[in-house]
């Protein structure tokens, strides 16, 4: 078997039984790996209506066929389970090196089932797989856990949850290498619900490659393309993703004060240019990544350096809270990593709480201390973030995410979320395609299920009119299917700023010995997209949830280059359903499912 | 009056963040980038007085007296 290791590890935490199973190669090829194969394996075993925190729920850690190969960025793994935040299928991916190490240990995937009676962690050293007590690390922060486990297993990569996952916060992340996160959809809480604190993994096996010389050649070609490209060889390595702050802000779609405005004259203070000039120590790349967008930065709080914030994190702890302080953003990012929190949902929930305070729903009396959750109140950010992460006092309300918080006060419309997952850093009123993509994302509010920002704002691969509706449904479908492919291969989505479907096909063909065309690969992406949709429908997620918060549909953007615009979802959604071959209610048709091999 | 040219990422190197320029009637983005030594293919995105569009066509749009340009090299993230 080429590319894959051919083995799945199954661990039952209730019984302590550990076993291995052969990977079904044909099934793997049909769903590629990673996100696609993980979803298929999960759906074959778990009732979509399951309570995500039930012992009967499962959580799958799975690699793509290119994870652990020499391909550029080939180091990513995916976590697949049912999201406790959204109720949708959750597939969150992370870089670092843990995914590659799992492959080197000889496995394509780990299926975790059951629930341990006491906190445990799993140690994997190729054939040696053990469930070990974790009482001494339960309650510890991410870096403390990593340090303790690295001392015991020096060759291992450490994946862990923080206190937020242990306390079942619906926005808990899974961390590896301290600052790499499978961040979204609350996957860390599912680990926590199983009393599983961490997984350490090491090994020295390598996947067999169908055509090693061919892979060498195509890898060299792709690395060359990535190096020559202005984004992957210039903008991202130099400035990181933070470089987006200024360009998004200048277009009037940089959300401020919980999306009440679309621009911030002070955003330069938290821009990629400022981060690079004043805070950057060095780049902090993931395994086998020639792009290296990751940052290692210093601040007053962390003079020796700490993992740096991404664009979304910069925005959510700055503009979205009405504050522009790089020191606070770096510290907030640090605490999210230590507590094991999704930075987007954590910051967005603080923003929603601030809007509830602004409108009088949350009062001074309800907050159990005197640090007021108010837009622009810099001292509130770290204070309430820690309380959220530890579920202390009113922080317990915040830990449920913005939707549940606002819904508690009877005003869910102040949660800037889709399917209960908080939206990232782009106001859809001025980016019509992106708004359609938000509304139709299978995991709720998300920017990595097809990144329409590329053509609508950044001019990549070509500049589209961001207000025009024409053809946007076609772009959205292609981008969604392509990101499903890349997530399933085990590569980083950022490669797609330079590489196209043909290059992905070339790489995977040399690894697996397949002869897929770019079209066949995209068809697999469409299959994966439809499979996820089927899960959501069976889980009770109605197509009525394919929508946006009313603010974007009804309230015109008040100022700036997007002034006067609302999102025109009512016009775009029917076109999108048609483009997908779904019926007018947003349900995949039998005809389309048959074509995709899903019936 | 003057116009304001806002530069981003590595376009700032040797030029600064904001470059003021004298306004001349009918001046376009093309005139501005000629003065700054930036070529059209280097630009990924451009905004003229709050309006964005394809780079080539935006470079021909007359800038308003007292107006501004924002010019970006290829940048991305997410
Ligand atoms: S581009 Fe950034 S996120 Fe992607 S693999 Fe490289 S360092 Fe990691």
């Amino acid at each position: 078997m080429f590319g894959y290791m051919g083995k799945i590890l199954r661990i039952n935490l209730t019984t302590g039984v550990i076993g291995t199973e052969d990977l079904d190669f044909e099934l793997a090829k049909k769903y590629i790996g990673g996100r696609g194969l993980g979803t298929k394996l999960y759906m074959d075993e778990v009732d979509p209506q399951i309570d995500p925190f039930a012992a009967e729920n499962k959580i799958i850690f799975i690699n793509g066929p290119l994870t652990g190969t020499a391909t550029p960025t080939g180091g990513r793994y995916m976590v697949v389970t049912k999201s406790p935040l959204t109720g949708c299928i959750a597939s969150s991916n992370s870089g670092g090196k843990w995914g590659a190490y799992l492959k080197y240990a000889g496995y394509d995937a780990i299926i975790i089932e059951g629930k341990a009676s006491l906190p445990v962690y799993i140690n994997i050293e190729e054939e040696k797989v053990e469930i070990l007590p974790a009482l001494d690390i339960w309650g510890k922060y991410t870096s403390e856990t990593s340090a303790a486990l690295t001392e015991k297993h020096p060759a291992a990569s450490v994946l862990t949850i923080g206190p937020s996952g242990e306390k079942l916060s619906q926005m808990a992340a899974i961390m590896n290498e301290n600052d790499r996160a499978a961040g979204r959809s609350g996957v860390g809480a599912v680990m926590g619900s199983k009393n599983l604190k961490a997984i350490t993994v090491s090994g020295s096996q390598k996947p067999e490659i169908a055509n090693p010389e061919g892979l060498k050649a195509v890898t060299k070609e792709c690395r060359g393309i990535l190096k020559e490209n202005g984004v992957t060889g210039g903008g991202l390595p130099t400035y990181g993703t933070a470089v987006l702050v200024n360009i998004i802000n200048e277009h009037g779609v940089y959300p401020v004060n919980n999306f009440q405005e679309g621009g911030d004259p002070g955003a330069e203070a938290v821009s990629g240019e400022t981060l690079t000039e004043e805070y950057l120590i060095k780049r902090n790349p993931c395994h086998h990544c020639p792009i290296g967008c990751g940052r290692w930065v210093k601040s007053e709080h962390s003079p020796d350096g700490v993992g740096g914030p991404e664009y979304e994190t910069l925005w959510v702890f700055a503009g979205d809270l009405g504050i522009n302080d790089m020191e606070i953003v770096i510290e907030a990012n640090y605490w999210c990593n230590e507590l094991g929190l999704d930075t987007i949902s954590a910051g967005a929930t603080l923003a929603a709480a601030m809007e509830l305070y602004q409108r009088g729903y949350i009062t001074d009396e309800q907050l159990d201390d005197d640090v007021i959750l108010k837009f622009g109140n810099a001292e509130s950010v770290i204070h309430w973030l820690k309380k959220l992460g530890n579920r202390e006092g009113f922080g317990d309300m915040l830990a449920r995410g913005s939707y549940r918080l606002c819904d508690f006060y009877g005003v869910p419309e102040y949660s800037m979320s889709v399917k209960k997952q908080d939206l990232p850093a782009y106001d859809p009123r001025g980016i019509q395609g992106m708004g359609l993509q938000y509304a139709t994302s299978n995991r709720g509010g998300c920017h990595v299920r097809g990144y329409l920002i590329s053509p609508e704002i950044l001019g990549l691969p070509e500049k589209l009119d961001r207000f025009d509706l024409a053809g946007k449904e076609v772009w959205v479908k292609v981008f969604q299917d392509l990101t499903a492919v890349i997530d399933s291969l085990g590569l980083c989505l950022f490669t797609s700023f330079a590489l196209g479907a043909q290059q992905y096909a070339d790489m995977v063909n040399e690894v697996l010995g397949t002869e897929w065309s770019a079209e066949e690969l995209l068809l697999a992406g469409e299959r994966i997209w439809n499979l996820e949709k089927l899960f959501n429908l069976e889980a009770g997620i109605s197509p009525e949830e394919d929508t946006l918060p009313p603010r974007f549909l009804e309230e015109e953007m008040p100022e700036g280059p997007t002034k006067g615009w609302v999102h025109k979802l009512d016009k775009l959604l029917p076109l999108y359903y048609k483009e997908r071959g779904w019926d007018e209610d947003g349900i995949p048709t039998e005809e389309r499912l048959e074509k995709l091999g899903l019936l | 009056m003057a116009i304001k040219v806002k530069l981003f990422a590595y376009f700032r190197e040797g030029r600064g963040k904001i470059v003021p320029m004298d306004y001349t009637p009918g001046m376009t983005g093309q005139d501005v980038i000629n003065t700054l030594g930036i070529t059209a293919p280097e630009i990924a995105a451009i905004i003229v007085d709050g309006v964005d569009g394809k780079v080539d066509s935006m470079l021909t749009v007359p800038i308003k007296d007292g107006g501004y340009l924002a010019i970006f090299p290829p940048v991305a993230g997410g």
Side-chain angles (χ1 to χ4, degrees):
Chain A
M1 189 177 291
F2 299 116
Y4 309 100
M5 302 308 285
K7 263 195 293 183
I8 294 174
L9 188 58
R10 184 181 293 274
I11 301 174
N12 188 309
L13 293 174
T14 306
T15 61
V17 172
I18 298 168
T20 57
E21 294 160 16
D22 290 341
L23 177 75
D24 178 340
F25 191 44
E26 290 310 312
L27 191 77
K29 284 197 296 184
K30 184 170 177 184
Y31 296 97
I32 304 178
R35 180 174 146 197
L37 181 60
T39 303
K40 176 63 181 160
L41 293 173
Y42 183 78
M43 283 178 72
D44 283 351
E45 298 193 12
V46 182
D47 176 358
Q49 304 244 346
I50 198 161
D51 170 1
F53 293 149
E56 293 74 27
N57 189 20
K58 303 187 186 191
I59 183 167
I60 299 180
F61 298 82
I62 185 161
N63 280 327
L66 301 188
T67 314
T69 68
T71 53
T73 77
R76 301 190 78 89
Y77 70 93
M78 188 68 70
V79 185
V80 179
T81 188
K82 180 172 175 175
S83 165
L85 181 71
T86 64
C88 302
I89 190 80
S91 41
S92 283
N93 93 56
S94 178
K97 60 186 184 186
W98 191 88
Y101 276 39
L102 178 64
K103 205 155 209 182
Y104 302 156
Y107 304 101
D108 297 305
I110 312 172
I111 301 176
I112 308 276
E113 48 194 35
K115 175 181 179 174
S117 53
L118 287 170
V120 295
Y121 76 98
I122 295 167
N123 177 49
I124 302 168
E125 296 168 22
E126 303 196 13
E127 280 77 33
K128 180 176 146 194
V129 180
E130 46 195 355
I131 303 171
L132 298 166
L135 274 171
D136 56 335
I137 46 174
W138 196 255
K140 299 267 190 244
Y141 292 132
T142 295
S143 64
E144 294 170 337
T145 307
S146 294
L149 292 180
T150 301
E151 209 173 306
K152 288 184 188 161
H153 313 284
S157 167
V158 180
L159 171 154
T160 184
I161 55 169
S164 297
E166 296 170 12
K167 293 179 178 162
L168 309 187
S169 166
Q170 282 93 339
M171 62 177 86
I174 293 175
M175 310 299 302
N176 56 286
E177 277 70 69
N178 284 337
D179 55 17
R180 290 282 150 191
R184 304 228 68 193
S185 303
V187 290
V190 177
M191 252 181 93
S193 74
K194 299 191 171 304
N195 275 331
L196 177 60
K197 175 70 176 173
I199 308 177
T200 52
V201 62
S202 59
S204 57
Q205 300 182 36
K206 286 276 153 74
E208 269 192 76
I209 305 298
N211 181 0
E213 285 310 308
L215 181 64
K216 222 186 218 173
V218 71
T219 296
K220 193 171 165 209
E221 182 201 330
C222 290
R223 282 183 175 259
I225 295 170
L226 290 166
K227 197 169 168 211
E228 288 307 310
N229 181 276
V231 169
T232 52
L236 275 174
T238 308
Y239 299 101
T241 59
V243 75
L244 287 177
V245 169
N246 279 328
I247 190 166
I248 301 299
N249 191 39
E250 288 291 331
H251 282 80
V253 287
Y254 179 77
V256 172
N257 294 349
N258 201 33
F259 289 80
Q260 294 184 78
E261 296 145 50
D264 186 337
E268 175 71 29
V270 293
S271 67
E273 290 87 338
T274 302
L275 189 71
T276 306
E277 275 162 30
E278 297 176 25
Y279 297 88
L280 183 69
I281 297 176
K282 61 177 182 180
R283 286 160 62 195
N284 186 22
C286 299
H287 187 79
H288 277 175
C289 176
I291 304 169
C293 77
R295 310 280 93 179
W296 189 254
V297 300
K298 60 180 189 293
S299 70
E300 277 170 25
H301 173 259
S302 309
D304 298 331
V306 69
E310 304 285 343
Y311 166 61
E312 312 295 333
T313 310
L314 280 155
W315 153 75
V316 84
F317 287 111
D320 208 30
L321 304 182
I323 300 158
N324 280 313
D325 187 329
M326 189 71 90
E327 294 282 342
I328 289 179
V329 176
I330 293 173
E331 198 179 343
N333 187 55
Y334 168 82
W335 280 111
C336 283
N337 290 343
E338 289 294 342
L339 291 158
L341 282 171
D342 171 23
T343 58
I344 297 177
S345 284
T349 303
L350 295 183
M354 288 177 178
E355 184 163 357
L356 292 176
Y357 182 84
Q358 170 194 329
R359 296 184 186 280
Y361 292 99
I362 295 177
T363 60
D364 291 348
E365 295 70 49
Q366 286 170 36
L367 299 176
D368 46 358
D369 62 28
D370 51 13
V371 180
I372 300 305
L373 268 166
K374 190 174 167 188
F375 289 118
N377 183 11
E379 71 164 329
S380 70
V381 180
I382 305 301
H383 179 87
W384 281 105
L385 181 61
K386 285 191 198 170
K387 292 191 109 174
L388 180 160
N390 288 310
R391 301 196 84 141
E392 282 170 19
F394 191 74
D396 182 53
M397 288 289 297
L398 300 172
R400 299 153 205 243
S402 73
Y403 185 88
R404 288 174 175 83
L405 175 73
C406 295
D407 194 43
F408 174 81
Y409 288 98
V411 282
E413 61 270 28
Y414 294 129
S415 165
M416 296 302 120
S417 60
V418 169
K419 300 183 179 81
K420 303 187 181 68
Q421 179 155 281
D422 302 281
L423 291 172
Y426 318 89
D427 193 306
R429 285 171 283 195
I431 333 164
Q432 296 288 323
M434 191 68 185
L436 175 64
Q437 185 243 296
Y438 281 162
T440 57
S441 157
N442 282 334
R443 71 168 185 177
C446 173
H447 60 296
V448 289
R449 290 292 183 269
Y451 191 63
L452 265 284
I453 299 301
S454 270
E456 293 190 294
I457 299 282
L458 309 174
L460 303 167
E462 62 180 90
K463 172 75 177 168
L464 298 182
D465 182 335
R466 62 196 174 99
F467 298 114
D468 193 12
L469 308 187
K472 290 290 167 67
E473 74 282 7
V474 181
W475 281 84
V476 167
K477 177 182 177 292
V478 170
F479 270 49
Q480 288 177 335
D481 293 349
L482 182 63
T483 52
V485 169
I486 301 168
D487 281 344
S488 300
L489 288 171
L491 299 183
C492 176
L493 288 179
F494 292 167
T495 54
S496 66
F497 290 123
L499 305 180
Q502 188 57 53
Q503 273 107 14
Y504 296 115
D506 292 345
M507 283 191 274
V508 73
N509 285 338
E510 302 298 358
V511 169
L512 293 182
T514 44
E515 291 183 354
W516 288 331
S517 64
E519 291 72 32
E520 282 170 300
L521 211 50
L522 279 172
L523 193 71
E526 184 179 357
R527 181 179 303 124
I528 294 161
W529 190 269
N530 278 265
L531 187 72
E532 292 174 334
K533 181 74 181 178
L534 292 178
F535 177 91
N536 287 350
L537 288 169
E538 286 172 35
I541 308 295
S542 142
E544 277 167 26
E545 292 191 54
D546 289 349
T547 189
L548 293 169
R551 170 160 294 159
F552 305 125
L553 305 175
E554 295 161 10
E555 290 176 29
E556 291 179 2
M557 181 69 90
E559 289 297 336
T562 300
K563 185 175 177 177
W565 279 88
V566 293
H567 193 272
K568 300 184 176 170
L569 188 64
D570 56 333
K571 300 229 168 26
L572 280 170
L573 199 55
L575 298 173
Y576 171 84
Y577 287 159
K578 197 162 168 229
E579 179 66 18
R580 278 240 165 259
W582 297 352
D583 70 18
E584 57 192 26
D585 296 323
I587 311 283
T589 57
E590 282 196 9
E591 194 189 348
R592 183 58 66 124
L593 293 178
E594 195 154 2
K595 185 181 159 216
L596 295 170
L598 288 173
L599 277 187
Chain B
M1 259 179 96
I3 64 154
K4 208 162 65 172
V5 185
K6 299 183 185 181
L7 298 172
F8 298 93
Y10 48 81
F11 281 166
R12 289 180 175 179
E13 285 166 18
R15 301 186 183 97
K17 284 183 199 171
I18 297 181
V19 183
M21 279 190 190
D22 288 337
Y23 171 76
T24 49
M27 79 188 290
T28 63
Q30 186 63 52
D31 301 324
V32 169
I33 64 169
N34 289 347
T35 308
L36 291 172
I38 295 171
T39 61
E42 293 175 88
I43 301 172
I46 180 166
I47 300 172
V48 181
D49 295 326
V51 179
D52 60 299
K54 287 189 195 296
V55 173
D56 286 349
S57 60
M58 292 311 293
L59 286 174
T60 64
V61 173
I63 306 161
K64 286 185 194 145
D65 192 5
Y68 79 96
L69 246 78
I71 309 177
F72 304 86
V75 292

